[in-house]
Amino acid sequence: MTGKLIGQAAREFGLNPRTLRYYEAMQLLPPPMRSGGGYRIYNEETVRRLGFIIKAKSLGLTLKEIRQIVMVGGTGRLPCNSVQRILREHGRRVDHQLAHLRTLKADLATVLARCRRTRTYDGGVTGPKTICPVIETLGTGRQNTIRNGGDRR
């Protein structure tokens, strides 16, 4: 039987063998062949699919999205329509994240400027329950959204 053991395939892609088992459970990878001792053996097609998964993840696609593409591809048809739909939606998510990050960067600059103007941070003494007055006095609204990890739609 020719192929790669799970450890070999995982190392080739810089992954942990548990990740490959997880991909199998998610049906991203087909069930592998087994050796006489029950070890997983990944054939060339499975290793190629693993490469596809890694490349799709590098684009920021979720495992669910990758699974959708793999499932369509598994029917023998090219998944072009699915890929285009998924990439358009992903592009919208990236645009939203970029807008959020621009706002976050501006807020960080504002807070940093407040820190520079506040003598308390140059070794001054604060009250016993104060950790960082500049952060603790952040207002509501946009700053609370930032403080709480942003909009998680």
Side-chain angles (χ1 to χ4, degrees), residues 10-101:
R11 269 190 305 280
E12 183 175 322
F13 292 98
L15 300 172
N16 187 303
R18 284 178 284 168
T19 302
L20 275 63
R21 290 186 199 98
Y22 181 70
Y23 290 171
E24 287 174 35
M26 293 278 302
Q27 298 178 329
L28 292 167
L29 294 176
M33 298 178 290
R34 299 283 183 154
S35 70
Y39 294 105
R40 289 172 165 81
I41 300 177
Y42 294 99
N43 62 23
E44 187 176 317
E45 173 62 26
T46 302
V47 171
R48 188 181 67 75
R49 184 181 290 189
L50 185 55
F52 170 81
I53 293 166
I54 300 303
K55 290 174 186 173
K57 282 187 59 151
S58 76
L59 291 172
L61 299 181
T62 66
L63 293 180
K64 182 179 177 185
E65 292 167 332
I66 296 168
R67 184 174 183 269
Q68 291 171 355
I69 295 167
V70 167
M71 292 302 197
V72 172
T75 66
R77 296 178 303 150
L78 288 176
C80 298
N81 291 335
S82 295
V83 169
Q84 290 174 25
R85 180 183 49 76
I86 288 168
L87 291 178
R88 276 192 298 273
E89 177 58 33
H90 186 55
R92 284 190 285 275
R93 284 194 316 265
V94 168
D95 286 341
H96 178 76
Q97 290 171 338
L98 286 170
H100 171 72
L101 289 172

